[in-house]
Amino acid sequence: MSYLELSNVKKSFGTTIAVDDFNLSIAQGEFVSFLGPSGCGKTTTLRMVAGFELPTSGQISLQDKNLTYLPPNKRNVGMVFQSYALFPNMTVADNIGYGLKVTGKPKKETNARIKEMLGLIHMEEQHNKFPSQLSGGQQQRVALARALAIRPQVLLLDEPLSALDAKIRLELRLEIRRIQQQLGITTIYVTHDQEEALSLSDRIVVMSKGKMEQVGTPAQIYTSPETEFVANFVGQINLLPVKVVSPTQGKVKVGEQILQAGKFGHLNGNPIRLAVRPEELNHGFIEGANNLSGKVEAISYLGSIVRIRLDVEGNPISMDVFNERKLTIPSVGDDYQVTFPVEACWII
Amino acid sequence: MKTKRINFWAFFWVVLAFLYFFLPMYGTLDFSLRMKKGVLSLLAYQKVLADPQFLASFRYSAIMGVITVIFSILLFVPTVYWIHLKMRQLRPLVEIITILPFIIPVIVYVFGLIRTFSGPPFQLTLTPFKTDILMVAGYIVLAMPYMFRAIDVGMQTIDVRTLTEAAQSLGANWAQILFNVIFPNLRTAILSGALISFALVIGELILGDFLARPALGPYMVEVGRDMAYQPAALAIMSYALTWICLGLITLFSRSNNNQRQILGR
């Protein structure tokens, strides 16, 4: 059953349409990420849920209550900002308790909640410090506790980890998910980082130019992207221009090399593109699978994986292999044969 | 070698500026101490402080100063806050308006003020109380460049929009945001603007003179006309007050450093 519902939501700034025809149902306790590049409308959508922007048209409802024109301070929606937005004049404890204080909660209840939240973020010892005395990661933890202290019906996070360095980002990502699952709070998370979205979310909404490109679980988004944009934006992908050989059987060719597409609709139009992830490719030749031969153009070490870039009939194609000790790495200019299963590729 | 030359010239200009500024002050101080023939004494200061008219005019100007500061804060903090939050495109226009007291001579402004507000329907010069209202309004305009700039600079050091949104999402209304979040984080800026405005009101002459109110400025001119040493003592006391205000601004700026908002650290 839908808990938070966005129906036909549209937002324009003058003649620019920031969000168009946005429809989404979110279940209670679900963790949904809005993923997309800068300017795709993900933050604008989040801000409309928070009440900081009014939709040009459409409706936002929470548990069947229309929120669309309710001011932000009446929505009971907690928000965490990229820049932390802690009140510099207040201590950690005062920041966490601010929402309870302004809504007139009794002092005893406020103090108990502050203590509970400090325990949740493991910062009991820091309760008397000012924000300027904390690290970025600690500040964001306090911001999270402050947003959760009011017991919001929905938690909104606007790129909360973007300002942090890589190691702390990873730590805090796990902590956000742990806290979200522990409290079972419905969460919307805005990010442009695909790894964050894939690792945290129950569902991902991929957005581009104000529109929803695809909604699905991380696995669906990664393994079955419905559009070229999603395929390109989430993970690495090879897009090979191919010509149709047999429209009914899904047979296509690159130069003179025949390939079989795993998924294909109506194969109309030439040329079309065959999509395959770099990690689906293996060195060698397997009868009955798709096989391609080309020349090694470049080799890149990316830590745990090695990316081998090939030229196949004038088209670049990448293959990712685990950087194991037994790995034999070809040299640039070598002839190289790669193979991939039929079900690992599809027509876009 | 080059560094040494730069240091020499820097030193030279500092000394020159110091002499330019402090020599006249030293001369005034020295003169104010020579009321008793042949010895240095604080007699001129004693006479000034013993004059009931001085105390009355100082008290009057101080009260006017405090009222001006209170109303300036109540007027400018919400205005600058709203400009930063919702109407950033209006900021250049408001900035130009706030420097008008620097461009328009005070005498022109005072005549305009008297002409507009002394007649019907306002008739603000009919009673001393109404004239005081006009005085405070006039002082607020004269203090506007200092007050606006101090608060504007303060607003720029905090992320007004995000702090406001954070407070809103926690359930705060506009008054709670202003008094719990915005005012406390502008404490240093407001204090700077307030102390400069206060010092300005204490020394202001033309408004008090033309509206015929017992302010300190007209009193100083009157004393200067009739006496020799007391005006010098008054000038030194006035300087001292300004320096105390500046000292307090520096003190509060330093003590507020540990509460600055740090973004993206």
Side-chain angles (χ1 to χ4, degrees):
Chain A
M1 195 192 146
S2 173
Y3 183 70
L4 177 69
E5 182 100 34
L6 290 93
S7 317
N8 304 313
V9 173
K10 183 181 175 177
K11 177 70 186 175
S12 309
F13 295 102
T15 52
T16 311
I17 297 170
V19 179
D20 196 15
D21 196 25
F22 194 98
N23 289 285
L24 183 69
S25 289
I26 300 175
Q28 188 163 14
E30 199 177 8
F31 193 119
V32 175
S33 290
F34 293 171
L35 175 66
S38 296
C40 72
K42 55 190 190 298
T43 296
T44 307
T45 311
L46 190 85
R47 289 173 62 79
M48 285 191 279
V49 177
F52 302 135
E53 304 283 355
L54 284 179
T56 310
S57 60
Q59 185 175 305
I60 300 165
S61 49
L62 181 63
Q63 283 190 306
D64 296 325
K65 185 183 167 195
N66 187 358
L67 288 188
T68 318
Y69 300 105
L70 212 61
N73 58 334
K74 305 276 182 213
R75 292 194 179 205
N76 197 26
V77 166
M79 177 115 174
V80 177
F81 299 83
Q82 183 183 347
S83 59
Y84 325 136
L86 293 179
F87 307 129
N89 57 311
M90 297 182 201
T91 61
V92 166
D94 289 341
N95 262 287
I96 295 174
Y98 184 71
L100 303 163
K101 185 182 146 193
V102 293
T103 46
K105 293 278 183 294
K107 207 164 177 139
K108 204 173 160 190
E109 189 187 331
T110 303
N111 289 338
R113 193 82 58 82
I114 291 170
K115 212 171 161 191
E116 181 195 336
M117 289 297 130
L118 283 167
L120 194 69
I121 57 167
H122 309 303
M123 282 183 66
E124 294 94 333
E125 305 297 312
Q126 327 275 351
H127 71 282
N128 243 349
K129 286 189 175 170
F130 282 98
S132 59
Q133 295 168 308
L134 303 174
S135 69
Q138 287 173 322
Q139 286 191 64
Q140 200 55 297
R141 275 198 185 94
V142 176
L144 181 64
R146 182 180 67 175
L148 291 169
I150 58 168
R151 300 252 156 96
Q153 286 173 282
V154 180
L155 176 66
L156 308 174
L157 300 112
D158 186 8
E159 307 217 22
L161 308 180
S162 302
L164 303 169
D165 56 53
K167 195 164 174 257
I168 299 192
R169 208 156 57 213
L170 193 64
E171 273 173 35
L172 210 52
R173 188 202 293 174
L174 297 171
E175 197 144 334
I176 287 172
R177 187 57 166 155
R178 172 186 67 81
I179 291 170
Q180 187 269 334
Q181 286 181 325
Q182 191 177 328
L183 301 177
I185 187 165
T186 311
T187 304
I188 302 177
Y189 187 97
V190 161
T191 182
H192 61 264
D193 183 331
Q194 43 161 310
E195 200 181 301
E196 255 172 51
L198 290 168
S199 63
L200 280 169
S201 321
D202 293 320
R203 273 193 305 158
I204 298 172
V205 179
V206 184
M207 294 179 71
S208 167
K209 295 176 184 164
K211 285 187 184 281
M212 298 165 83
E213 287 278 334
Q214 189 176 346
V215 183
T217 62
Q220 284 168 343
I221 295 286
Y222 191 78
T223 56
S224 310
E226 286 168 4
T227 65
E228 191 178 327
F229 174 82
V230 177
N232 257 323
F233 191 76
V234 182
Q236 295 288 324
I237 193 119
N238 292 303
L239 292 170
L240 270 173
V242 291
K243 286 188 175 168
V244 178
V245 174
S246 166
T248 49
Q249 292 176 314
K251 284 202 186 302
V252 293
K253 63 176 182 177
V254 187
E256 292 309 313
Q257 305 184 55
I258 305 289
L259 300 166
Q260 170 72 56
K263 279 181 272 178
F264 58 97
H266 294 286
L267 293 186
N268 47 5
N270 260 327
I272 49 171
R273 297 211 266 186
L274 185 81
V276 60
R277 299 270 183 208
E279 66 270 22
E280 298 282 3
L281 271 60
N282 285 296
H283 176 47
F285 180 91
I286 298 174
E287 193 65 45
N290 285 319
N291 297 290
L292 283 172
S293 51
K295 266 195 188 327
V296 177
E297 258 190 346
I299 293 161
S300 317
Y301 288 91
L302 305 171
S304 60
I305 61 166
V306 176
R307 183 159 293 156
I308 300 168
R309 198 175 145 97
L310 305 170
D311 180 331
V312 176
E313 311 274 353
N315 303 298
I317 186 166
S318 294
M319 177 177 103
D320 286 351
V321 284
F322 276 114
N323 192 3
E324 298 166 312
R325 280 183 200 284
K326 62 179 182 182
L327 180 71
T328 318
I329 297 168
S331 304
V332 172
D334 285 358
D335 287 329
Y336 207 67
Q337 184 96 39
V338 290
T339 180
F340 54 95
V342 169
E343 57 277 14
C345 63
W346 65 96
I347 297 293
I348 278 186
Chain B
M1 195 70 188
K2 200 178 174 188
T3 317
K4 270 187 181 173
R5 190 178 297 167
I6 290 168
N7 283 345
F8 168 76
W9 282 109
F11 182 72
F12 171 78
W13 288 115
V14 167
V15 169
L16 197 71
F18 183 84
L19 291 174
Y20 179 79
F21 187 76
F22 282 101
L23 264 184
M25 267 185 72
Y26 172 75
T28 311
L29 177 71
D30 185 63
F31 185 71
S32 72
L33 297 173
R34 292 187 186 277
M35 195 174 182
K36 206 181 258 183
K37 222 171 182 177
V39 285
L40 294 177
S41 73
L42 293 171
L43 188 61
Y45 293 87
Q46 284 167 350
K47 286 215 180 266
V48 167
L49 291 172
D51 183 357
Q53 215 186 329
F54 165 75
L55 292 174
S57 61
F58 184 78
R59 192 169 55 237
Y60 177 83
S61 284
I63 292 168
M64 288 287 117
V66 169
I67 296 170
T68 302
V69 164
I70 291 169
F71 281 97
S72 293
I73 291 169
L74 291 177
L75 179 69
F76 287 114
V77 174
T79 308
V80 181
Y81 170 60
W82 206 248
I83 289 166
H84 275 260
L85 193 64
K86 302 271 183 187
M87 299 177 185
R88 282 201 77 89
Q89 71 280 9
L90 278 185
R91 197 174 158 270
L93 177 72
V94 177
E95 206 167 357
I96 289 170
I97 293 170
T98 60
I99 56 167
L100 284 181
F102 287 155
I103 299 163
I104 301 168
V106 182
I107 191 92
V108 175
Y109 165 63
V110 172
F111 271 121
L113 207 64
I114 293 169
R115 254 189 97 77
T116 310
F117 294 104
S118 62
F122 306 106
Q123 295 186 311
L124 284 179
T125 48
L126 278 188
T127 64
F129 178 70
K130 283 182 174 177
T131 313
D132 287 347
I133 293 173
L134 195 59
M135 284 270 283
V136 169
Y139 285 146
I140 289 172
V141 174
L142 292 181
M144 186 164 65
Y146 309 102
M147 207 59 171
F148 174 82
R149 243 148 223 84
I151 295 168
D152 188 51
V153 168
M155 288 279 182
Q156 283 172 27
T157 62
I158 57 172
D159 186 352
V160 173
R161 187 170 129 165
T162 314
L163 287 180
T164 302
E165 288 176 352
Q168 278 182 310
S169 72
L170 294 169
N173 59 35
W174 287 113
Q176 287 166 327
I177 295 168
L178 260 177
F179 286 97
N180 299 337
V181 179
I182 303 300
F183 272 108
N185 286 306
L186 289 178
R187 198 181 68 185
T188 311
I190 291 172
L191 264 167
S192 306
L195 291 169
I196 294 172
S197 302
F198 183 78
L200 178 112
V201 172
I202 290 288
E204 205 284 327
L205 162 71
I206 301 172
L207 258 172
D209 198 28
F210 279 83
L211 288 171
R213 299 300 296 140
L216 189 64
Y219 168 77
M220 282 167 75
V221 173
E222 198 184 307
V223 169
R225 267 200 301 262
D226 304 336
M227 296 164 200
Y229 296 96
Q230 285 91 327
L234 271 170
I236 293 297
M237 285 161 77
S238 174
Y239 265 131
L241 188 73
T242 310
W243 280 99
I244 288 168
C245 288
L246 290 173
L248 287 174
I249 292 170
T250 313
L251 190 73
F252 284 117
S253 311
R254 280 185 185 168
S255 68
N256 205 35
N257 271 354
N258 71 327
Q259 290 177 16
R260 290 240 171 90
Q261 188 183 19
I262 293 182
L263 298 173
R265 196 175 73 169

